[in-house]
């Protein structure tokens, strides 16, 4: 007698198979309950893994990319070692798909992609432009650089990659008392509408104090403060951003990502002492975790994204970036006289961020 199944038994078997497949998937999207459908099969954990030496890297040559700012062009400004260019991220349970710029352009033909945030968004935007350009070096491009909006158009494909510079996501406005960081205002959001992909980032400027902070007061509703707890302010500002996304984004037309918290590697305040901090680091830290743990802002990001109604994909780059103490410009920056341990060399770590973005879009 051959094997068969009743309608009920077959239905049960199908349900079990579906549940098993979903159990092997990892969750990346946040929704209103803090849970969602990462849709990554086979137990692939994109943001957990290790750095491995890969002689096929980097994905492009800095001297051949017309989009790199001096502050990120470490080889041009004297970095003597090149080993930091040869590391690839190996996630647990899968291989990261190698970035294919031509395939990316074909898939996103006629589309608009925008990075929104501070100089870490600038880092990632320039990386993306260089990675695409390396795949189609003969493709005609148009570059426009202004404040706050810059963009690169890959003319043959009609793909535009934008950068909108806004360090806090919320607005700094002129009031009678001076420059005010308004935790409840996002006028800049009008420029973010109509995009096919949005990648947001914010945190570093929330920690700036003294002469390096760009506002005189903070406004929270009707109340005006000379200062407030920066984590509390970040939470309020990010909540305003989340409300903007929930009110203005149509998930069937726009994919939304949050870049996650990019770490710094400063030890104390010795900004101009080259033997401190990230100077002289030559290879990634070993192990899957960073000894000091995650920055406190990551808790706020997780909480705010978990409360949103619209799906937002968290590019959870914090830990894998913490392991790359060797990947900062340090003293090899054309735009800085000190020891830059907050930004990243190009080629370098932001290329991996974009490979993870690519993986999230194609896998």
């Amino acid at each position: 007698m051959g094997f068969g199944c009743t309608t009920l038994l077959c239905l049960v078997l199908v349900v079990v198979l579906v549940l098993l497949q979903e159990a092997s998937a990892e969750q990346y999207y946040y929704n209103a309950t803090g849970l969602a459908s990462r849709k990554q099969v086979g137990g692939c954990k994109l943001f957990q893994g290790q750095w491995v030496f890969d002689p096929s890297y980097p994905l492009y040559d800095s001297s051949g990319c017309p989009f790199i700012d001096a502050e990120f062009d470490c080889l041009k400004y004297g970095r003597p070692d090149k080993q930091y260019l040869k590391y690839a991220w190996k996630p647990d349970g899968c291989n990261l798909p190698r970035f294919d710029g031509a395939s990316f352009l074909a898939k996103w033909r006629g589309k608009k992609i925008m990075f929104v945030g501070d100089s870490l968004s600038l880092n990632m935007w320039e990386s993306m432009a260089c990675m695409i350009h390396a795949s189609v070096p003969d493709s005609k491009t148009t570059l426009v650089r202004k404040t706050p909006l810059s963009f690169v158009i890959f003319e043959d494909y009609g793909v535009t990659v934008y950068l909108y510079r806004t360090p806090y996501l919320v607005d700094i406005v002129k009031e009678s008392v001076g420059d005010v960081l308004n935790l409840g205002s996002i006028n800049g959001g009008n420029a973010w509408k109509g995009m096919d992909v949005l990648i947001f980032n914010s945190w570093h400027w929330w920690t700036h104090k003294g002469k390096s902070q760009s506002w005189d007061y903070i406004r929270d509703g009707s109340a005006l403060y000379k200062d407030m707890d920066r984590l509390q302010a970040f939470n309020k500002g990010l909540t305003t951003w989340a409300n903007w996304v929930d009110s203005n984004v149509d998930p069937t037309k726009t994919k939304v990502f949050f870049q996650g918290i990019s770490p710094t590697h400063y030890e104390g305040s010795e900004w101009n002492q080259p033997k401190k901090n990230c100077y002289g680091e030559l290879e990634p830290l070993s192990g899957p975790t960073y000894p000091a743990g995650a920055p406190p802002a990551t808790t706020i990001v997780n909480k705010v994204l978990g409360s949103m109604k619209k799906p937002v994909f968290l590019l959870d780059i914090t830990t894998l970036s913490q392991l790359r103490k060797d990947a900062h410009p340090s003293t090899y920056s054309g735009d800085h006289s000190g020891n830059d341990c907050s930004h990243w060399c190009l080629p370098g770590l932001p290329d991996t961020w974009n490979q993870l973005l690519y993986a999230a879009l194609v896998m």
Side-chain angles (χ1 to χ4, degrees), residues 29-50:
Y29 277 101
Y30 282 83
N31 63 15
T33 61
L35 302 172
S37 54
R38 292 202 179 180
K39 307 250 183 209
Q40 304 286 348
V41 297
C44 176
K45 299 180 178 179
L46 280 179
F47 308 108
Q48 297 178 34
Q50 60 183 325

mmCIF file of all heavy atoms in Angstrom, residues 29-50:
data_model
loop_
_atom_site.group_PDB
_atom_site.id
_atom_site.type_symbol
_atom_site.label_atom_id
_atom_site.label_comp_id
_atom_site.label_asym_id
_atom_site.label_seq_id
_atom_site.Cartn_x
_atom_site.Cartn_y
_atom_site.Cartn_z
ATOM 1 N N TYR A 29 13.273 42.830 11.223
ATOM 2 C CA TYR A 29 12.319 43.928 11.187
ATOM 3 C C TYR A 29 11.658 44.127 12.540
ATOM 4 O O TYR A 29 11.287 43.175 13.200
ATOM 5 C CB TYR A 29 11.230 43.663 10.151
ATOM 6 C CG TYR A 29 11.623 44.024 8.759
ATOM 7 C CD1 TYR A 29 12.016 43.052 7.851
ATOM 8 C CD2 TYR A 29 11.605 45.342 8.344
ATOM 9 C CE1 TYR A 29 12.373 43.389 6.557
ATOM 10 C CE2 TYR A 29 11.958 45.685 7.054
ATOM 11 C CZ TYR A 29 12.344 44.708 6.170
ATOM 12 O OH TYR A 29 12.694 45.039 4.892
ATOM 13 N N TYR A 30 11.509 45.387 12.915
ATOM 14 C CA TYR A 30 10.740 45.738 14.096
ATOM 15 C C TYR A 30 9.351 46.164 13.660
ATOM 16 O O TYR A 30 9.180 46.801 12.626
ATOM 17 C CB TYR A 30 11.402 46.898 14.833
ATOM 18 C CG TYR A 30 12.599 46.498 15.648
ATOM 19 C CD1 TYR A 30 13.838 46.361 15.050
ATOM 20 C CD2 TYR A 30 12.485 46.254 17.007
ATOM 21 C CE1 TYR A 30 14.936 45.993 15.793
ATOM 22 C CE2 TYR A 30 13.590 45.890 17.762
ATOM 23 C CZ TYR A 30 14.800 45.759 17.152
ATOM 24 O OH TYR A 30 15.896 45.392 17.880
ATOM 25 N N ASN A 31 8.351 45.811 14.468
ATOM 26 C CA ASN A 31 7.019 46.346 14.229
ATOM 27 C C ASN A 31 6.408 46.746 15.560
ATOM 28 O O ASN A 31 7.108 46.891 16.556
ATOM 29 C CB ASN A 31 6.148 45.337 13.471
ATOM 30 C CG ASN A 31 5.922 44.063 14.273
ATOM 31 O OD1 ASN A 31 6.171 44.029 15.481
ATOM 32 N ND2 ASN A 31 5.471 43.021 13.615
ATOM 33 N N ALA A 32 5.113 46.917 15.596
ATOM 34 C CA ALA A 32 4.469 47.467 16.794
ATOM 35 C C ALA A 32 4.673 46.605 18.035
ATOM 36 O O ALA A 32 4.638 47.102 19.158
ATOM 37 C CB ALA A 32 2.974 47.656 16.544
ATOM 38 N N THR A 33 4.906 45.308 17.860
ATOM 39 C CA THR A 33 5.091 44.439 19.022
ATOM 40 C C THR A 33 6.561 44.193 19.331
ATOM 41 O O THR A 33 6.899 43.477 20.270
ATOM 42 C CB THR A 33 4.420 43.073 18.777
ATOM 43 O OG1 THR A 33 5.032 42.445 17.649
ATOM 44 C CG2 THR A 33 2.936 43.240 18.540
ATOM 45 N N GLY A 34 7.436 44.776 18.523
ATOM 46 C CA GLY A 34 8.865 44.554 18.718
ATOM 47 C C GLY A 34 9.337 43.277 18.053
ATOM 48 O O GLY A 34 10.506 42.937 18.112
ATOM 49 N N LEU A 35 8.419 42.545 17.402
ATOM 50 C CA LEU A 35 8.770 41.322 16.698
ATOM 51 C C LEU A 35 8.425 41.490 15.229
ATOM 52 O O LEU A 35 7.678 42.365 14.854
ATOM 53 C CB LEU A 35 8.005 40.125 17.281
ATOM 54 C CG LEU A 35 8.217 39.857 18.763
ATOM 55 C CD1 LEU A 35 7.254 38.777 19.225
ATOM 56 C CD2 LEU A 35 9.652 39.430 19.026
ATOM 57 N N ALA A 36 8.980 40.639 14.388
ATOM 58 C CA ALA A 36 8.595 40.714 12.982
ATOM 59 C C ALA A 36 9.207 39.584 12.197
ATOM 60 O O ALA A 36 9.544 38.564 12.754
ATOM 61 C CB ALA A 36 9.020 42.049 12.415
ATOM 62 N N SER A 37 9.394 39.776 10.886
ATOM 63 C CA SER A 37 9.701 38.659 10.012
ATOM 64 C C SER A 37 11.043 38.828 9.324
ATOM 65 O O SER A 37 11.098 39.223 8.187
ATOM 66 C CB SER A 37 8.621 38.557 8.944
ATOM 67 O OG SER A 37 8.488 39.799 8.299
ATOM 68 N N ARG A 38 12.116 38.503 9.962
ATOM 69 C CA ARG A 38 13.423 38.732 9.364
ATOM 70 C C ARG A 38 13.586 38.008 8.026
ATOM 71 O O ARG A 38 14.395 38.401 7.226
ATOM 72 C CB ARG A 38 14.522 38.282 10.318
ATOM 73 C CG ARG A 38 14.615 39.153 11.568
ATOM 74 C CD ARG A 38 15.977 39.051 12.214
ATOM 75 N NE ARG A 38 16.014 39.907 13.374
ATOM 76 C CZ ARG A 38 17.052 40.051 14.157
ATOM 77 N NH1 ARG A 38 18.139 39.375 13.928
ATOM 78 N NH2 ARG A 38 17.024 40.854 15.183
ATOM 79 N N LYS A 39 12.870 36.943 7.812
ATOM 80 C CA LYS A 39 12.819 36.275 6.523
ATOM 81 C C LYS A 39 14.186 35.790 6.059
ATOM 82 O O LYS A 39 14.387 35.568 4.882
ATOM 83 C CB LYS A 39 12.227 37.202 5.452
ATOM 84 C CG LYS A 39 10.893 37.796 5.842
ATOM 85 C CD LYS A 39 9.781 37.244 5.036
ATOM 86 C CE LYS A 39 8.486 37.920 5.423
ATOM 87 N NZ LYS A 39 7.329 37.139 5.263
ATOM 88 N N GLN A 40 15.153 35.660 6.956
ATOM 89 C CA GLN A 40 16.447 35.101 6.596
ATOM 90 C C GLN A 40 16.405 33.615 6.911
ATOM 91 O O GLN A 40 16.274 33.230 8.059
ATOM 92 C CB GLN A 40 17.567 35.777 7.393
ATOM 93 C CG GLN A 40 17.611 37.287 7.242
ATOM 94 C CD GLN A 40 18.154 37.723 5.902
ATOM 95 O OE1 GLN A 40 18.690 36.922 5.174
ATOM 96 N NE2 GLN A 40 17.994 38.978 5.573
ATOM 97 N N VAL A 41 16.520 32.765 5.888
ATOM 98 C CA VAL A 41 16.356 31.335 6.118
ATOM 99 C C VAL A 41 17.685 30.697 6.509
ATOM 100 O O VAL A 41 18.746 31.247 6.294
ATOM 101 C CB VAL A 41 15.788 30.645 4.860
ATOM 102 C CG1 VAL A 41 14.411 31.164 4.544
ATOM 103 C CG2 VAL A 41 16.722 30.820 3.672
ATOM 104 N N GLY A 42 17.583 29.516 7.089
ATOM 105 C CA GLY A 42 18.763 28.729 7.396
ATOM 106 C C GLY A 42 19.535 29.192 8.609
ATOM 107 O O GLY A 42 20.679 28.804 8.810
ATOM 108 N N GLY A 43 18.936 30.017 9.441
ATOM 109 C CA GLY A 43 19.614 30.438 10.664
ATOM 110 C C GLY A 43 20.736 31.430 10.438
ATOM 111 O O GLY A 43 21.640 31.561 11.257
ATOM 112 N N CYS A 44 20.735 32.147 9.323
ATOM 113 C CA CYS A 44 21.774 33.137 9.047
ATOM 114 C C CYS A 44 21.644 34.310 10.010
ATOM 115 O O CYS A 44 20.586 34.919 10.116
ATOM 116 C CB CYS A 44 21.650 33.636 7.608
ATOM 117 S SG CYS A 44 22.819 34.945 7.214
ATOM 118 N N LYS A 45 22.718 34.613 10.704
ATOM 119 C CA LYS A 45 22.745 35.746 11.629
ATOM 120 C C LYS A 45 23.697 36.789 11.056
ATOM 121 O O LYS A 45 24.900 36.751 11.303
ATOM 122 C CB LYS A 45 23.168 35.283 13.020
ATOM 123 C CG LYS A 45 22.198 34.259 13.616
ATOM 124 C CD LYS A 45 22.629 33.817 14.998
ATOM 125 C CE LYS A 45 21.618 32.824 15.577
ATOM 126 N NZ LYS A 45 22.005 32.353 16.915
ATOM 127 N N LEU A 46 23.142 37.722 10.295
ATOM 128 C CA LEU A 46 23.957 38.672 9.549
ATOM 129 C C LEU A 46 24.905 39.472 10.423
ATOM 130 O O LEU A 46 26.016 39.800 10.005
ATOM 131 C CB LEU A 46 23.052 39.636 8.779
ATOM 132 C CG LEU A 46 22.446 39.155 7.459
ATOM 133 C CD1 LEU A 46 21.577 40.242 6.866
ATOM 134 C CD2 LEU A 46 23.528 38.740 6.476
ATOM 135 N N PHE A 47 24.483 39.804 11.635
ATOM 136 C CA PHE A 47 25.246 40.738 12.446
ATOM 137 C C PHE A 47 26.024 40.067 13.574
ATOM 138 O O PHE A 47 26.631 40.740 14.404
ATOM 139 C CB PHE A 47 24.310 41.823 12.995
ATOM 140 C CG PHE A 47 23.496 42.473 11.916
ATOM 141 C CD1 PHE A 47 22.131 42.232 11.797
ATOM 142 C CD2 PHE A 47 24.106 43.292 10.983
ATOM 143 C CE1 PHE A 47 21.397 42.804 10.786
ATOM 144 C CE2 PHE A 47 23.373 43.877 9.966
ATOM 145 C CZ PHE A 47 22.007 43.627 9.860
ATOM 146 N N GLN A 48 26.014 38.742 13.594
ATOM 147 C CA GLN A 48 26.858 37.980 14.508
ATOM 148 C C GLN A 48 27.839 37.172 13.670
ATOM 149 O O GLN A 48 27.449 36.580 12.665
ATOM 150 C CB GLN A 48 26.019 37.029 15.370
ATOM 151 C CG GLN A 48 25.041 37.733 16.287
ATOM 152 C CD GLN A 48 24.205 36.737 17.082
ATOM 153 O OE1 GLN A 48 24.671 35.669 17.445
ATOM 154 N NE2 GLN A 48 22.956 37.101 17.324
ATOM 155 N N GLY A 49 29.101 37.152 14.076
ATOM 156 C CA GLY A 49 30.082 36.431 13.295
ATOM 157 C C GLY A 49 31.489 36.838 13.656
ATOM 158 O O GLY A 49 31.774 37.175 14.809
ATOM 159 N N GLN A 50 32.363 36.857 12.658
ATOM 160 C CA GLN A 50 33.760 37.208 12.898
ATOM 161 C C GLN A 50 34.373 37.803 11.644
ATOM 162 O O GLN A 50 33.877 37.610 10.532
ATOM 163 C CB GLN A 50 34.548 35.976 13.331
ATOM 164 C CG GLN A 50 34.554 34.853 12.308
ATOM 165 C CD GLN A 50 35.283 33.623 12.788
ATOM 166 O OE1 GLN A 50 36.285 33.719 13.505
ATOM 167 N NE2 GLN A 50 34.792 32.451 12.416
#
